[in-house]
Amino acid sequence: MLNKKALTLLELASIALIFITVIIVNKSNYIKSYNLLDHDIYYEFNQAIEIKDGINPYQRILRGDLYHNNKYATLLPSYYYFLLGIAAFSQFTFKGFVDNYRSVLLLFEFIGFGVIYLKFRENDQKALGLFAASFFLLNRWTIGNVALLKQDVIAITLLLLSLYFLDKKTRLAYLFFGLSLAIKHLGLLALPIYIAPLLFKKRSLKDFLLDILVMLFPIMSFSIIYLIWNFKAFIYSMLFSITRKNDSTTGSITTGYENLLTDSNMAFSSSYSMFSLLIPRLPLLVFSVFNLVLYFAKKINWSLYIMFAFIVFVALNPVYFDQYITWITPLIAFTALDWKKSNTNS
């Protein structure tokens, strides 16, 4: 039987081996900067540069429509300012930016690993924690996400930090949630968890309002400028993610209810209605509301709610991208831990 010191050394060695493996795997999937010129990160980099040059990147959507993707700026300004900081550190060259952004992503991968592992470790599930945290970093979706320099790993890690502190340091949890949304607002699917403390009477109204203000600060501190600059352009850019045509960059089948509910192949023009763009999302809305009712009726806990929320989103959203699966992989771990705890206590 190994003593406590030997077990600690084995634990540290296991983590070090996993980190080394992640570094090797990431490097084996590096894409040269000149091969990224037709990918989202190149357009996002240029949108950040436009902000530096005093250009509003959100105005581009007013020259197009809310159906066809013309590489609009669809993320919150805070994300582009985040990229601008990395670009400034890279002398505003795309190659330098790519090199430095890879290091940032690796850092957030390791932080995400740490959050998942600590959550399991606190519940005396070290082996399961190593498995769950490693799976988050070494599955094909996360590897592909990092290779293409997607922002999802950063937003996911900030969400995991928020969930980790939710029952420990509530206000810090709301800050991390706000930071996650500031990077990518797909995390809005988790919003009901942050409204529940007031509805379940776990927080006073005063504390809850302060929590919300802390959450909104990293989002609104940058967004307010663009809301004033061109309100319509900013709102349309934010709406585009839920009105765009069914699409996939992976060859996956995207057709679901679009052809049943509306003509998804119609040539949208200036005469399209918002209703016609949103109606293919009706099944997504119905199942999302059903999941929400289950949560607020206390039929499922928060970990099941959030995992179901993302599964429903991936399964019923007319738009499918592999990075969506990346969000589910760590949530499976949190749900597995809850299941393990409930079986241990029963």
Side-chain angles (χ1 to χ4, degrees), residues 6 27-28 62 77 120 149 155 183 190 227 245 248 295 309 315 320 324:
K27 285 190 173 182
S28 72
L62 298 180
F120 279 81
L149 276 70
I183 297 297
L227 282 166
K245 65 179 289 189
S248 169
Y295 176 59
Y320 170 81
Y324 296 160

Side-chain angles (χ1 to χ4, degrees), residues 40 145 150 152 156 184 249 321-327:
D40 287 346
N145 195 285
K150 298 286 187 180
D152 297 79
I156 292 168
K184 186 162 188 172
T249 57
F321 298 121
D322 274 350
Q323 58 261 36
Y324 296 160
I325 306 294
T326 311
W327 290 77

Side-chain angles (χ1 to χ4, degrees), residues 102 242 269:
R102 284 193 180 116
I242 60 171
S269 65

Side-chain angles (χ1 to χ4, degrees), residues 254 256-258 280-288 310-319:
T254 58
Y257 297 90
E258 300 81 29
R281 275 79 178 173
L282 184 59
L284 172 60
L285 176 63
V286 170
F287 279 89
S288 295
F310 279 94
I311 290 174
V312 166
F313 177 80
V314 173
L316 296 176
N317 189 5
V319 178

Side-chain angles (χ1 to χ4, degrees), residues 24 40 50 70 109 164 166 211:
I24 293 171
D40 287 346
E50 286 180 343
N70 292 315
E109 282 188 279
Y164 178 80
L166 196 56
D211 295 338

Side-chain angles (χ1 to χ4, degrees), residues 163 166-167 174 189-200 202 287-309 338:
L163 295 174
L166 196 56
D167 295 325
Y174 278 77
L189 293 172
L191 183 61
I193 293 172
Y194 297 87
I195 297 174
L198 178 66
L199 299 181
F200 293 162
K202 293 182 178 180
F287 279 89
S288 295
V289 169
F290 182 60
N291 186 36
L292 194 63
V293 170
L294 288 175
Y295 176 59
F296 284 123
K298 297 186 177 181
K299 299 297 183 182
I300 56 176
N301 61 16
W302 69 262
S303 63
L304 275 173
Y305 163 76
I306 192 172
M307 188 177 76
F308 286 160
D338 275 350

